[in-house]
Amino acid sequence: MNHRFKYLSILAAIILFTACTTSKSTVSTNVNLSRYEYASIINNDTYHIPAELMEYEIQLFDAVENSHLKLISDARIYELTPAQQEKLLLVKYGVNVQPEETIVTVNFIDYNTGRPVASCKGAYSSLGVAGASHDIKGAINRVAKQISNTFPKE
C-alpha cells in the first residue's frame, strides 16, 4: 500500500509539473498580422544555435516556412522594394535548456519600426528522463504549432 501511494504521489507531481510547461503566443493588440508577407530570420552572433544543434535550427526555419510567411535571406532584405519591406518581419529566436524544462522562443519584429508584434513560445519537459535533445525537439514542435496558429496559411 505504501509503494502504491509513493508511485501515485510521483505520478501526480509529474502531471502537475508538466501541466506548468505551457506553450503560448503573445500578439500585439494594435497590429494586423495578416498584412505581413515576408520573414527574415536573424542569424548572427547573438541569435544562433551552436553547431551541434544545427538540426534544430533547420526545424526552426521549417516552422516559420510552414506559416503564410515567405522566408527571405537576411542578406537579401535590401533587394526588397520599400512596399515589400513594409510587409517584412524580422525573426529572432532563443533556446533555453534547463534540467526541468526546455523553452524555444521565436519573436517577430516589424522591419521598419523595430516594434515587436508577436512572440511564440514552445515549452517541453520530460523531467530529464528522455534527455535534452528530446526536450529541444518537443519544444520546437510546440513553437512550430504556435507559429502556425499565429500566422496561418490562407
Side-chain angles (χ1 to χ4, degrees), residues 25-37:
S25 293
T26 303
V27 178
S28 172
T29 57
N30 299 325
V31 175
N32 178 5
L33 294 182
S34 64
R35 77 178 198 92
Y36 294 101
E37 295 179 19

Side-chain angles (χ1 to χ4, degrees), residues 68-101:
H68 78 261
L69 300 170
K70 179 181 177 187
L71 277 178
I72 303 293
S73 166
D74 56 348
R76 302 191 77 183
I77 290 174
Y78 300 105
E79 295 175 14
L80 295 174
T81 66
Q84 290 172 317
Q85 289 178 355
E86 288 283 330
K87 299 175 182 180
L88 174 65
L89 290 171
L90 298 178
V91 182
K92 298 179 180 181
Y93 58 85
V95 178
N96 184 4
V97 179
Q98 300 292 322
E100 63 277 356
E101 177 179 57

Side-chain angles (χ1 to χ4, degrees), residues 45-116:
D45 291 338
T46 304
Y47 297 99
H48 74 283
I49 291 179
E52 64 271 13
L53 300 176
M54 183 58 77
E55 67 181 287
Y56 304 112
E57 189 168 44
I58 292 168
Q59 292 173 334
L60 280 172
F61 275 70
D62 287 347
V64 173
E65 206 166 38
N66 287 333
S67 70
H68 78 261
L69 300 170
K70 179 181 177 187
L71 277 178
I72 303 293
S73 166
D74 56 348
R76 302 191 77 183
I77 290 174
Y78 300 105
E79 295 175 14
L80 295 174
T81 66
Q84 290 172 317
Q85 289 178 355
E86 288 283 330
K87 299 175 182 180
L88 174 65
L89 290 171
L90 298 178
V91 182
K92 298 179 180 181
Y93 58 85
V95 178
N96 184 4
V97 179
Q98 300 292 322
E100 63 277 356
E101 177 179 57
T102 297
I103 299 173
V104 176
T105 305
V106 181
N107 299 309
F108 296 86
I109 300 158
D110 183 281
Y111 174 74
N112 283 325
T113 66
R115 183 187 195 291

